[in-house]
Amino acid sequence: LTDEMSDTRLCREQIIRAYLQEIFILMIRNIADYVDTEKIDPRGGDSVQKAKAFIKSHYAEPLNLEKIASHVALSPSYFSRLVKTKTDYTPIEYLNRIRIENAKKYLIHSGLALIEISERVGFSSQHYFSHTFKKMEGLSPLNYRRTKKKALIQDFVSVKPS
């Protein structure tokens, strides 16, 4: 026993090992302090909701997958897969749906030109706007406007005063 106590190399190694274990334990505890497990949705729902709110309030700006994903602090590829599983749309499809819904309001309630509407809702070109609109709605923007305005006029005319 006295021989082991006098061997400084053995004691030094044990002390170093004990310090390393203590450092490791402190690191684990600190990491646990930073992670608030109650606030994390392991399925990513919070990130998707945050991204949807971001898109709804910034749809008219030039947005792309990278910008939206960085807003929720996720990689673009992971974010894209996550949104697709939660909404059945890619992030860009969701963005375009929001843009088209807002464009429909302009088409019905304003006399703005298509180029102006496409710019107001965030499309970089009128051609892409018209193509996307027709793909989603089954009508060109101008035909949609004509159809909806015609229906509004017919509804107005058919209302009989009491």
Side-chain angles (χ1 to χ4, degrees), residues 28-161:
I28 297 294
R29 286 181 183 156
N30 283 333
I31 289 171
D33 288 343
Y34 286 111
V35 177
D36 185 355
T37 54
E38 293 178 350
K39 292 184 179 177
I40 294 176
D41 178 357
R43 297 172 309 268
D46 290 343
S47 296
V48 172
Q49 291 306 317
K50 187 177 177 185
K52 286 170 78 173
F54 177 75
I55 289 170
K56 285 179 180 177
S57 60
H58 297 276
Y59 70 88
E61 300 170 17
L63 293 179
N64 58 31
L65 177 62
E66 290 75 18
K67 189 171 187 176
I68 301 166
S70 78
H71 180 74
V72 292
L74 295 174
S75 74
S77 60
Y78 175 73
F79 174 68
S80 187
R81 285 191 311 273
L82 183 65
V83 171
K84 180 78 172 172
T85 60
K86 294 286 182 185
T87 66
D88 292 329
Y89 303 114
T90 67
I92 299 306
E93 287 170 340
Y94 183 79
L95 169 63
N96 284 339
R97 287 191 177 282
I98 298 300
R99 287 176 169 171
I100 295 302
E101 287 305 312
N102 284 283
K104 286 164 49 175
K105 294 173 189 171
Y106 281 115
L107 287 165
I108 295 169
H109 302 294
S110 80
L112 295 173
L114 288 184
I115 184 97
E116 197 168 343
I117 293 172
S118 68
E119 289 170 354
R120 285 191 183 195
V121 297
F123 283 96
S124 58
S125 82
Q126 181 183 341
H127 175 74
Y128 183 57
F129 164 67
S130 295
H131 174 78
T132 305
F133 192 97
K134 186 169 185 174
K135 184 178 174 184
M136 290 184 175
E137 296 301 317
L139 296 168
S140 70
L142 287 178
N143 284 339
Y144 179 87
R145 175 182 266 169
R146 284 186 202 117
T147 303
K148 291 298 178 179
K149 286 198 173 192
K150 193 176 193 180
L152 283 173
I153 290 170
Q154 286 177 347
D155 287 345
F156 181 74
V157 171
S158 67
V159 174
K160 296 177 183 174

